[in-house]
Amino acid sequence: MAEPQTLAQKLIAAACGRACVAEGEIVTCAVDLAMFHDSSGPRRLQPMLQELGATLWDPSRIVLVIDHYVPESDDESRRIVRIARDWAAEQQLPNVYDSLGICHVVVPQHGHIRPGMFCVGGDSHSPTGGAFGAYMFGIGSTEMLGVAVTGQIWVKVPQTLMMRWNGRLSAGVTAKDMMLHMIGRYGMNGGRYQAVEFCGEAVRALSMQERMTLSNMSAELGSQVGLIAPDATTVAYLREAGVTDEIDLARWRSDEGAQAEWHEFDAAALAPQVAAPHSPANARDVDQYGDVPLQVAYIGACTGAKLEDLRAAASVLRGRRLAAGMRLMVAPASQQDQRQAEAEGVMQTLREAGADVLATSCGACAGYGGSIPDGASVIATTARNFKGRMGSETAQVYLASPYTVAASAVAGRIVDPREFMA
């Protein structure tokens, strides 16, 4: 009888062609999908491939998303985007998403990530793929070169940290709050570069977009991957994304009795969280902030501007206006989500409240576009608030959920969004 395996072990075992693997083993895995964007991809890979005289192992398994330097606002961004477009054409890449939104949202929306896959991404938030029961993690350009040429990468089988959320979240509390709470409790190295798996009643109750937020921000927890066992919610999302493959739900879950370190949380007791500058680990309950005045609110990024995030913000802003002197910027995470939000009247609600709608790209989250003024106090739905991360070295950035950001934009200071919810 084989040892019980965690989901992480099962995914790695499948990728290296074994029945099972042991924690601490180093194995070579076949990569099912490699994703990179205009910032991490062609401009770095193309010269290295050229120097080696090497070719891509399988263009059909590569996904390129142009999302960081668009819309191009200067010569440097035009140069970077041109390299990406030219290289994609030259390599005849079949999966290119140009200016359609942020990679971590666009790639799942097109059905590229499915349970049981082993994937790498040229971006630190690539663990988003773990929400679908896939092993997906971020790598640098040199490692990506190895993958692009060989289709393989080595991995050390990690220990699994099980984050079990019991009970249900109350209204106005989200996956972003769950994540900030965990990072606040364990710090940015709390995942110790291991595998984190999110489970429990509260996790099963989350929609796919909310699960994606959890997995995405496992990067801020210091984990290699952030896994969630696939279920009927996963299948429904993938069917809508056009995936017709058979999905084996029974296989892709941790075995009873598999070796893991367990951590327990009470979802029902969780309050909205806010992380103070300059680290997501500075997270505490929203009521700890007293009257912190704000000048800018930003609803954007892969963790904070998907369709459900936009709906959450609109539910708070409906029939209200921004505080005097407040600027609210909304950068939807993908064009697909923005179209749906337009159809539902969500974007109209945001505009009527006084929001400026920006392009569907990484934008200010990646410090691009110069939209965060120097010295401003900012509340944002982004994943990170490191000094200078959003462009300005002197801005003070607080992190929160879309509910909290929208409520704070109305109040002009950090507030509990539940005060604004019927």
Side-chain angles (χ1 to χ4, degrees):
M1 176 77 175
E3 279 276 296
Q5 300 268 288
T6 62
L7 175 55
Q9 287 174 302
K10 288 182 177 185
L11 291 165
I12 291 170
C16 70
R18 301 244 306 260
C20 57
V21 290
E23 199 180 295
E25 272 192 282
I26 293 173
V27 293
T28 300
C29 293
V31 173
D32 294 310
L33 179 118
M35 183 275 292
F36 40 77
H37 47 60
D38 47 328
S39 182
S40 67
R43 66 170 172 156
R44 302 185 197 284
L45 289 174
Q46 188 215 16
M48 295 193 285
L49 285 164
Q50 220 162 1
E51 199 178 323
L52 291 172
T55 54
L56 296 178
W57 108 97
D58 185 350
S60 73
R61 292 180 184 268
I62 288 172
V63 180
L64 168 64
V65 183
I66 298 174
D67 63 355
H68 271 60
Y69 288 92
V70 286
E72 306 97 295
S73 64
D74 53 34
D75 287 344
E76 178 62 1
S77 50
R78 278 186 280 276
R79 182 187 74 82
I80 292 166
V81 171
R82 188 173 64 246
I83 291 169
R85 287 173 179 153
D86 290 351
W87 187 75
E90 184 189 302
Q91 299 293 330
Q92 298 180 312
L93 295 185
N95 303 306
V96 180
Y97 301 100
D98 189 341
S99 309
L100 293 183
I102 303 168
C103 57
H104 310 298
V105 179
V106 170
V107 172
Q109 281 179 339
H110 288 85
H112 288 292
I113 301 169
R114 303 180 295 286
M117 289 177 73
F118 186 94
C119 313
V120 296
D123 188 279
S124 59
H125 285 114
S126 298
T128 308
F132 295 87
Y135 201 97
M136 186 166 187
F137 57 104
I139 60 175
S141 303
T142 315
E143 283 181 302
M144 188 60 85
L145 173 68
V147 170
V149 175
T150 68
Q152 296 182 320
I153 192 170
W154 67 267
V155 69
K156 183 179 179 181
V157 181
Q159 179 192 25
T160 292
L161 309 182
M162 286 284 195
M163 304 298 195
R164 178 159 57 197
W165 282 84
N166 304 304
R168 291 285 186 109
L169 296 174
S170 56
V173 185
T174 67
K176 179 67 169 287
D177 299 303
M178 294 164 78
M179 219 46 235
L180 289 175
H181 175 72
M182 287 184 276
I183 300 161
R185 184 188 288 191
Y186 299 111
M188 290 199 68
N189 294 317
R192 302 192 295 282
Y193 213 64
Q194 305 289 7
V196 163
E197 184 176 334
F198 304 103
C199 59
E201 184 191 352
V203 174
R204 288 192 298 275
L206 294 175
S207 66
M208 275 318 299
Q209 288 201 335
E210 283 282 84
R211 293 178 189 189
M212 285 160 68
T213 297
L214 276 189
S215 296
N216 176 296
M217 284 188 70
S218 57
E220 276 67 45
L221 199 54
S223 173
Q224 184 180 40
V225 290
L227 300 170
I228 298 173
D231 58 14
T233 301
T234 322
V235 174
Y237 180 99
L238 291 172
R239 295 290 178 246
E240 202 164 305
V243 174
T244 54
D245 309 10
E246 188 77 22
I247 296 170
D248 187 349
L249 296 180
R251 182 180 179 188
W252 303 117
R253 55 187 58 255
S254 290
D255 292 333
E256 196 74 41
Q259 278 297 305
E261 181 184 302
W262 288 82
H263 299 269
E264 305 282 337
F265 304 87
D266 180 1
L270 185 67
Q273 302 289 298
V274 176
H278 291 282
S279 169
N282 294 336
R284 47 190 198 269
D285 290 1
V286 65
D287 65 8
Q288 304 286 295
Y289 285 88
D291 282 345
V292 175
L294 301 162
Q295 292 84 48
V296 178
Y298 182 78
I299 294 170
C302 44
T303 43
K306 299 183 287 297
L307 176 61
E308 288 176 30
D309 302 316
L310 300 172
R311 285 173 179 158
S315 73
V316 171
L317 291 170
R318 195 163 285 113
R320 295 190 169 103
R321 294 283 304 170
L322 303 181
M326 187 74 179
R327 181 165 186 220
L328 169 62
M329 292 175 281
V330 177
S334 75
Q335 291 205 358
Q336 181 179 315
D337 281 355
Q338 183 169 356
R339 275 195 305 274
Q340 183 60 32
E342 291 284 8
E344 293 177 12
V346 163
M347 297 308 297
Q348 184 63 22
T349 297
L350 299 176
R351 287 190 193 96
E352 282 170 2
D356 296 330
V357 178
L358 309 180
T360 51
S361 68
C362 293
C365 177
Y368 180 71
S371 40
I372 301 296
D374 285 339
S377 280
V378 183
I379 190 161
T381 61
T382 54
R384 292 181 181 153
N385 57 344
F386 305 147
K387 192 171 186 169
R389 159 83 182 180
M390 292 183 76
S392 167
E393 288 284 331
T394 56
Q396 301 287 311
V397 180
Y398 296 81
L399 302 179
S401 77
Y403 285 113
T404 306
V405 171
S408 300
V410 171
R413 57 190 169 80
I414 295 175
V415 289
D416 188 328
R418 295 173 299 186
E419 296 168 22
F420 287 74
M421 296 170 72

